[in-house]
C-alpha cells in the first residue's frame, strides 16, 4: 500500500464553491485534484494499492481509495465534483467515524494531525521536501505514507508536527516540483525499484 | 532544450468548445492541458528551456514556449483558455508562418508530420512507448524531442511515420502511464542525470 497525504491550506470546507473557478474561489482545489489523479491513475487502469488523503483547511479529510473508487476521471473538474459531493455530507462525518460519500470516497472530520495519527501505524511516514535526503540514497519503504503540501509551504506548526512523526525526509530530484508532479515521480521510483531490466 | 510533442486525436480545431466540458465535448483537451503543465512548471518557477507542441486533430499545432510564455497557470481550465484563444486566430496562421496568439503561445497550421518535420533537425526524436527500451539503459540525449499520444494510441499511419523519424523508442518504467505523468517522469530522469548527489 502506498499512501499520499496532501495538505490543502486554502481548500474549501463547505460545498459552496464553483467548479468553474477551482484555481481561484475554490482555494486551489485544482492542485489537490491533480494530486488525486497522479496518485491513482495508470494508463487505462487504476492503482488499486493506493490511497490519497486530501486535508481540507485542517478541518476535513477526503480519502480516495484506489481499490474501491468508482466514477473517478483524471480531469480536475470531475474530481472536484467528488470532493464537493463529500462536503455535501459533512454533517454525517461525526467524531472518528467517516462517511462514504461515493464509492471509494470517504470524508473524515479530521485535520492534518488527526489524519497522520490515524495513519502512522500503517507504514513509514515520508516527508517529501526539497531539503530532504536524495531518494536514490534511501532504501524503498514497503508501506510508504508520503506527506506533501499544496502550493503553500507547510505552516510552522505543521512542520514541527511532521518533524516528530516523519520517519524520513526525502527529496526526489534537484528541482522543486509541484505536489502532483512529486507524486508521479515517487510512484516511478517505487515502480522501477528492483527492476534492473523491466 | 527539451521538447514535447503531444498528439491530440480528438482535440478541437475551432474555438467553439466549452471550458466547462474539457474532458467531454472538448475532445479530451484536459489531457493536453495537463501535458503543458507537466512540461513547463516547476514549483514557483517555469522551465524556460522547454517547448510543448500540442497537435490538434492533425490540423493545427499550438506551441507553448517556456522562455517567453506569460499568463500560464497550472490548472487545466486556464491552459484550455489559451488554446481556445489560439484557435480564435486560426485564420492568421497561413502556410508555414505561425501566429503568436498570446505571449509565448503560437499557432501553426501544421499537423503531426509537418510538426515533426519542422523539429527533427533540432534534436533527438524519442518516442515514449510502453514497448520501448528501458530509459535507464540509454544515454541521455542532450536535445530530446519526446513524442507522446493523448488518451488514444497512435494511429497506424502516425506509428509508421514515427518509426521512420524516431531516433529512439524508450519506456520510462514497468507500468504504462498517462501522457502527462510520462512527461513528469522524463523530466525527472533528465533532471537527475549526472547528479550522483543532488
Amino acid at each position: 500500500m502506498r499512501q499520499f497525504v496532501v495538505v490543502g491550506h486554502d481548500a474549501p470546507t463547505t460545498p459552496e464553491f464553483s467548479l468553474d473557478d477551482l484555481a481561484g474561489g475554490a482555494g486551489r482545489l485544482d492542485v489537490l485534484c491533480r494530486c488525486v489523479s497522479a496518485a491513482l491513475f495508470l494508463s487505462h487502469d487504476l492503482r488499486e494499492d493506493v490511497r490519497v488523503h486530501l486535508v481540507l483547511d485542517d478541518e476535513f479529510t477526503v480519502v480516495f481509495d484506489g481499490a474501491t473508487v468508482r466514477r473517478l476521471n483524471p480531469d480536475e473538474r470531475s474530481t472536484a465534483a467528488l470532493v464537493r459531493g463529500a462536503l455535501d455530507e459533512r454533517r454525517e462525518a461525526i467524531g472518528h467515524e467517516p462517511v462514504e460519500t461515493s464509492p471509494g470516497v470517504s470524508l473524515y472530520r479530521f485535520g492534518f494531525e488527526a489524519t497522520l495519527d490515524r495513519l502512522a501505524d500503517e507504514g513509514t511516514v515520508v516527508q517529501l521536501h526539497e531539503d530532504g535526503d536524495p531518494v536514490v540514497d534511501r532504501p524503498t519503504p514497503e508501506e510508504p505514507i508520503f506527506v506533501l503540501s499544496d502550493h503553500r509551504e507547510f505552516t510552522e506548526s505543521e512542520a514541527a508536527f511532521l518533524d516528530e512523526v516523519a520517519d524520513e525526509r526525502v527529496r526526489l530530484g534537484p528541482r522543486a516540483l509541484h505536489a502532483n508532479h512529486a507524486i508521479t515521480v515517487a510512484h516511478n521510483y517505487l515502480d522501477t525499484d528492483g527492476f534492473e531490466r523491466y
Side-chain angles (χ1 to χ4, degrees), chain A residues 22 53 59 103 135:
Chain A
L22 297 179
H53 311 261
E59 188 173 343
V135 68

Side-chain angles (χ1 to χ4, degrees), chain A residues 8 14 17 22 44 49 54 59 63 67-68 70 95 104 116 130 143 155 168 171 173:
Chain A
T14 67
F17 61 86
L22 297 179
H44 307 296
D49 59 338
L54 304 181
E59 188 173 343
V63 184
T68 54
R70 298 287 175 275
L116 273 191
E130 57 193 281
E143 304 281 343
T155 65
E168 300 186 14
R171 79 172 299 174

Side-chain angles (χ1 to χ4, degrees), chain A residues 5-132:
Chain A
V5 177
V6 190
V7 179
H9 290 95
D10 304 323
T13 55
T14 67
E16 284 83 39
F17 61 86
S18 167
L19 298 178
D20 298 342
D21 193 24
L22 297 179
R28 297 307 307 273
L29 191 57
D30 63 311
V31 178
L32 302 185
C33 292
R34 286 195 295 279
C35 287
V36 172
S37 185
L40 292 180
F41 276 99
L42 290 166
S43 181
H44 307 296
D45 206 358
L46 280 177
R47 293 183 185 265
E48 294 188 5
D49 59 338
V50 171
R51 283 193 200 131
V52 195
H53 311 261
L54 304 181
V55 181
L56 307 180
D57 198 22
D58 210 22
E59 188 173 343
F60 292 103
T61 296
V62 182
V63 184
F64 291 76
D65 184 340
T68 54
V69 71
R70 298 287 175 275
R71 299 180 214 147
L72 183 70
N73 291 299
D75 65 298
E76 294 163 12
R77 188 183 176 92
S78 62
T79 306
L82 290 175
V83 172
R84 194 168 67 171
L87 288 171
D88 262 336
E89 300 185 40
R90 67 196 182 284
R91 290 185 184 84
E92 309 298 319
I94 299 168
H96 285 200
E97 289 306 308
V99 54
E100 187 171 42
T101 57
S102 169
V105 182
S106 301
L107 182 74
Y108 285 82
R109 190 178 288 275
F110 276 180
F112 176 57
E113 295 192 12
T115 291
L116 273 191
D117 281 341
R118 186 174 75 80
L119 298 177
D121 290 343
E122 296 182 12
T124 305
V125 177
V126 182
Q127 183 182 4
L128 293 182
H129 195 285
E130 57 193 281
D131 294 329

Side-chain angles (χ1 to χ4, degrees), chain A residues 111-164:
Chain A
F112 176 57
E113 295 192 12
T115 291
L116 273 191
D117 281 341
R118 186 174 75 80
L119 298 177
D121 290 343
E122 296 182 12
T124 305
V125 177
V126 182
Q127 183 182 4
L128 293 182
H129 195 285
E130 57 193 281
D131 294 329
D133 299 325
V135 68
V136 291
D137 294 345
R138 287 282 187 175
T140 306
E142 289 207 359
E143 304 281 343
I145 301 162
F146 294 101
V147 185
L148 306 91
S149 185
D150 61 357
H151 61 298
R152 296 196 188 279
E153 301 284 321
F154 288 111
T155 65
E156 277 186 34
S157 67
E158 286 164 355
F161 182 75
L162 255 181
D163 279 346
E164 272 178 42

